[in-house]
Amino acid sequence: MDLFAYAEENYKEKEAPLASRMRPRTLDEIVGQEHILGKGKLLYRAIQADQLSSVIFYGPPGVGKTTLAKVIANTTSADFHQVNATIAGKKDLEDVVNIAKNNLGGYKRRTILFIDEIHRFNKAQQDYLLPFVEDGTVILIGATTENPYFEVNGALLSRSRIFELKPLSKENVLTLIYRSFEKDYGLKKYNADITEEAANFLAEISDGDARAALNAIELAAMTTERSEDGMIHITLEVAEECIQRKAIRYDKSGDNHYDTIAAFIESMCGSDPDAAVYYLARMLTAGEDVKFIARRMLIAASEEVGNADPMAICVAASAAMAVERVGMPEGRIILAQAAAYIASAPKSNASYLAIEKAFKIVNKTGNLPIPPYLQDSSYKSAAKLGRGVGYKYAHNYPNHFVQQQYLPDLIKDIPIYEPNDIGQEKNIKDYFRKIGKNPERYRYKNPALQGNMEKPWTDPDNRQMHKVSKPEVKQEGVKTYNTIEEVKKKLIQK
């Protein structure tokens, strides 16, 4: 390195962004990623022993992929070279490979090639590396924010180990925030401090991206005037301004979390897409886990919509998979589409009521005898035990239906699944009447004249699904139930 290059590197080290200056220098300084860097884990042992083979680090921005590569560069005895796939070409790869050949042949020294954003290389560029990774001329370290199984050459993947880096937890980000105020190469020279409220806000809003949190803190420290005591105090208001986001009161383990998700679910149940999308936006703005939101929509699609529109569960399931693949912020559009669909779909809780009633029956009656003609008859001598004898195969009868008892004798006359005359469930009832399946039971009932003022699923001990308080309902001619015990009693009577 010549004098000018040294001066440039020295300047970069002092004037680099805070996130760059705060990069850990050793394995023990790395925060998070315990699933792959915990003491005793494979990757930790390989780095400590300087016996690393080709690897690809995969994960969202700001979780430490480049940091981990830099730590390896600081600890390895191998010759370390770094390229960025956004600006590098095949010529850059050829130069490193030539150096690696000389290192191996002349000095018996290994060469590590770190390729940041490796998914940006095209197939030809990735293919060029194959023989040199294969014979050990270079040890490849790739870093990518995209799923490597979709973006990286399959042959290159087979020659590398994949390590997925997870988003940092709030506690991890807090550790890095407070560390930045304690280190000389951090913000210690600014004589600054940060309130607990501001630190928590930035750790929460960064969504596991340490770089975003540190960038906001640096901007705050450099633009905030000193107080009379000579200190730079970074408060919640300053943090909000620097990250251009308002702090939304939202404790993921507290009442606000349950209140908001309950309002979100109730809005979908109540056919109000406006409110559903609004509460969705509130949760996403507050940093709620998108997987949690997607799971709640899956449940709502079955519990609140059910067979009135069977496509609702398909839309919710597709959205859950799509948002996991796409990620944020674009994933917000997918979630909004699914929430609006569920809220706009015809509603029925018949499936929910059916499984709850079935559970009550099973808990009350135990394992009732299954009719012998429905029992397994595939084994030898099953007929001697009466298994399968007298069974009527539905497809051998008109309309592929035949009257036959399927429930155990003791509960054979108890209705369990009661479809409504709304949406596709109306077609179910029409079909049952058409084939002659209990026409009286499945006669048309005007849904405008149906209803039950109670919420049979309300349970104060089950805040995971709904956190609601049941108001007293006073309506002439309608009996009200104001306690959980009364509601349960009513259900048992029904």
Side-chain angles (χ1 to χ4, degrees), residues 280-341:
L280 171 64
R282 272 183 56 163
M283 290 187 289
L284 292 176
T285 301
E288 181 60 85
D289 184 359
V290 294
K291 296 190 291 296
F292 172 77
I293 297 173
R295 287 196 299 269
R296 305 327 295 177
M297 286 199 292
L298 283 166
I299 295 168
S302 279
E303 180 177 354
E304 316 294 2
V305 177
N307 288 329
D309 184 354
M311 275 301 295
I313 186 66
C314 299
V315 171
S318 297
M321 290 187 289
V323 77
E324 187 173 357
R325 173 72 196 280
V326 173
M328 294 296 287
E330 291 83 357
R332 74 193 191 284
I333 306 168
I334 298 167
L335 294 173
Q337 178 190 353
Y341 187 97

Side-chain angles (χ1 to χ4, degrees), residues 80-94:
F80 188 92
H81 294 268
Q82 176 178 349
V83 298
N84 191 302
T86 59
I87 56 175
K90 186 178 177 182
K91 177 66 169 58
D92 299 288
L93 300 181
E94 290 174 344

Side-chain angles (χ1 to χ4, degrees), residues 455 458 467-472:
K455 288 183 176 180
T458 302
K467 181 183 180 296
V468 293
S469 57
K470 180 175 173 50
E472 182 176 351

